[in-house]
Amino acid sequence: MDPLTAQLKRIRARFEDGVLTREDIDEAIALVENAEAEHGPGSGRQSLLYLQAPTTNPHSAVVGISIYEDGADSDGLDENGEFRYRSIKEALDDGWRIIKFPEASLAMREQDTYGLGYEFVLERWR
């Protein structure tokens, strides 16, 4: 859990207990200001993950991967040369969000499809 979320949960608990102080809120404000100073307004950078799979099932094995993260493209391989994610579900479990589902119309005429199957586009903010 990120520090701001943790602080907000503490604030809520202290509010419910009737012991919320101005300092509790000031700590949360400081966390936001520090994040904005470090990363700019909105305090986050978008990362994109492209996963290709043979089906639209989130549990199917990934057959292709590409990542744009921290301003650089990556082939999505770990230190052992394996895909960082073996399925779409594994990427979701690691905090990625699907922002584009594969085109289902590609399944209509299997003999006319090209490429690596169905492409999912995912994002996360850091």
Side-chain angles (χ1 to χ4, degrees), residues 84-98:
R84 281 177 48 185
Y85 302 104
R86 293 178 301 238
S87 69
I88 288 84
K89 178 170 182 337
E90 199 173 284
L92 294 171
D93 291 343
D94 193 35
W96 292 90
R97 285 182 341 153
I98 297 173

Side-chain angles (χ1 to χ4, degrees), residues 4-91:
L4 180 57
T5 301
Q7 178 63 18
L8 291 173
K9 287 184 176 190
R10 281 191 296 274
I11 286 173
R12 182 178 55 204
R14 290 178 60 79
F15 174 78
E16 290 169 353
D17 292 341
V19 294
L20 182 63
T21 66
R22 181 183 186 98
E23 288 76 27
D24 295 323
I25 297 169
D26 288 344
E27 285 179 33
I29 291 170
L31 287 171
V32 172
E33 289 174 344
N34 290 339
E36 287 182 348
E38 186 175 333
H39 301 289
S43 68
R45 293 185 72 166
Q46 182 185 36
S47 297
L48 294 172
L49 171 63
Y50 300 86
L51 294 176
Q52 292 84 32
T55 73
T56 58
N57 184 328
H59 294 279
S60 63
V62 168
V63 297
I65 185 171
S66 179
I67 300 175
Y68 181 78
E69 198 167 34
D70 297 325
D73 288 315
S74 163
D75 57 10
L77 303 178
D78 64 16
E79 58 277 351
N80 298 320
E82 303 289 328
F83 289 144
R84 281 177 48 185
Y85 302 104
R86 293 178 301 238
S87 69
I88 288 84
K89 178 170 182 337
E90 199 173 284

